[in-house]
Amino acid sequence: MKKVRNLINITDLTVEEINQLIEVADDIVANHAEYENICAHKKLATLFFEPSTRTRLSFEAAMLELGGSVLGFSEAKSSSAAKGESVSDTVRTVGCYADIIAMRHPKEGAPIVAAQRTTVPIINGGDGGHFHPTQTLTDLLTIKRKKGRLDNMTIGLCGDLKFGRTVHSLIEAMLRYEGIKFVLISPQELQVPDYVKEKMDAAGAEWTEVETLEEAIPQLDILYMTRVQRERFFNEEDYVRLKDSYILNLEKLETAKEDLTIMHPLPRVNEISVEVDDDPRACYFFQALCGKHIRMALILFLLGIKRA
Ligand code: NCD
């Protein structure tokens, strides 16, 4: 089998490679015309066994803007998974039709299995409650563009830190930068899993856990809000009890720093009230745009294509 790079976990990329991707993402904005046909005759397949708006569509928009084409499916029931086909077989087949595959699957580890069965690069677009490395690249680009740096800051992560895969990947990524402090804001039941805490401890990171947004907000440079992950709960009662644990509104922002960056991977349900959208500190739709730029850079990187 041909050896290709995959992106399953954010640590599959070195810090230097992430810096390069950020540079290319900025170059894409600055010199857009140079990239318009760079992926001509290349195909991206998006295999989404779970719902998605931003991840799938930003991948597809990214490939189209690079002059390539896209194919794929947006729900398991429109693929042969509905007939009982294994992920391995689906991916092995699609590897015959596309040059690169972005996939999302409800089972943790599914992209690892997929990567073993195909010769084309596999990108994990989210596997269950585990990881979401391309959201993390999006988050890093957003932070870099807003703050001008990726080190020396206090990041508050709020909401469903147990099932929120974007949180797990972002923590892992930020552990590699100097001077990062984490404030983990969640109800007890939705705290960060132990394996993530172990990674923070192993890296010697500074972290605290609190239960209210109010006690965390004044110290934060970044506030990363998340949705309670209804689809990963075992029962609806627990979801209903916990879903509105945190609602960010303008009143809560009164004690926040002037230059706070408010992020959210989206979709939002109730956790940020719409009145916050017009606050200059709200960056979540800008973040969605960053997602397209960094995915363009990632596709080029994994296909080994460079601007002439
Ligand atoms: C996130 C995801 O799918 O994990 N969404 C996204 O990709 N932007 C967050 C979520 O679904 O809550």
Side-chain angles (χ1 to χ4, degrees), residues 268-286:
R268 123 178 89 181
V269 185
N270 279 327
E271 56 282 354
I272 302 182
S273 100
V274 287
E275 65 183 17
V276 176
D277 296 1
D278 294 329
D279 189 289
R281 293 168 287 191
C283 295
Y284 25 95
F285 290 106
F286 173 70

Side-chain angles (χ1 to χ4, degrees), residues 62-301:
M63 190 50 149
L64 294 172
E65 280 192 35
L66 294 168
S69 333
V70 296
L71 63 157
F73 52 82
S74 57
E75 49 182 3
K77 70 172 191 278
S78 63
S79 77
S80 284
K83 299 178 184 169
E85 186 173 54
S86 68
V87 180
S88 311
D89 286 1
T90 303
V91 167
R92 190 167 184 174
T93 306
V94 176
C96 304
Y97 309 147
D99 301 286
I100 182 163
I101 296 174
M103 64 175 283
R104 167 172 290 185
H105 200 280
K107 286 221 174 78
E108 283 88 1
I112 300 178
V113 176
Q116 287 161 356
R117 303 295 293 168
T118 182
T119 54
V120 305
I122 294 285
I123 302 170
N124 177 10
D127 61 325
H130 213 195
F131 297 132
H132 194 345
T134 66
Q135 181 61 47
T136 300
L137 290 174
T138 300
D139 300 341
L140 296 177
L141 177 62
T142 309
I143 296 172
K144 184 73 198 312
R145 285 179 173 172
K146 286 286 164 190
K147 295 278 185 242
R149 64 181 196 281
L150 287 168
D151 53 11
N152 295 305
M153 61 184 88
T154 302
I155 305 180
L157 298 134
C158 177
D160 185 348
L161 310 186
K162 180 178 180 186
F163 297 115
R165 55 194 173 196
T166 63
V167 166
H168 307 155
S169 287
L170 183 57
I171 290 176
E172 234 183 298
M174 294 307 293
L175 284 176
R176 300 196 287 184
Y177 298 92
E178 292 286 311
I180 302 294
K181 286 188 204 156
F182 299 101
V183 183
L184 307 171
I185 311 151
S186 74
Q188 290 231 322
E189 291 102 315
L190 298 180
Q191 284 179 354
V192 158
D194 286 344
Y195 80 90
V196 178
K197 290 182 180 169
E198 280 156 22
K199 283 181 186 170
M200 290 192 289
D201 286 337
E206 217 180 294
W207 59 276
T208 52
E209 277 178 323
V210 298
E211 284 191 44
T212 70
L213 252 174
E214 286 82 345
E215 62 194 299
I217 277 184
Q219 54 183 307
L220 303 179
D221 300 301
I222 308 274
L223 172 57
Y224 194 94
M225 297 295 294
T226 63
R227 161 182 82 90
V228 175
Q229 305 277 301
R230 178 182 206 159
E231 64 276 34
R232 307 203 199 287
F233 272 68
F234 298 110
N235 68 69
E236 185 69 7
E237 252 167 65
D238 284 349
Y239 168 72
V240 170
R241 186 168 48 82
L242 293 167
K243 73 182 172 60
D244 291 328
S245 300
Y246 304 101
I247 300 180
L248 184 66
N249 56 22
L250 289 177
E251 194 191 328
K252 292 202 182 99
L253 281 171
E254 273 169 20
T255 58
K257 290 187 183 173
E258 291 268 306
D259 66 345
L260 172 70
T261 299
I262 305 168
M263 299 173 66
H264 191 311
L266 302 177
R268 123 178 89 181
V269 185
N270 279 327
E271 56 282 354
I272 302 182
S273 100
V274 287
E275 65 183 17
V276 176
D277 296 1
D278 294 329
D279 189 289
R281 293 168 287 191
C283 295
Y284 25 95
F285 290 106
F286 173 70
Q287 192 179 350
L289 174 67
C290 291
K292 183 180 69 175
H293 298 149
I294 204 74
R295 288 183 174 101
M296 289 170 85
L298 179 68
I299 289 169
L300 293 175
F301 174 77

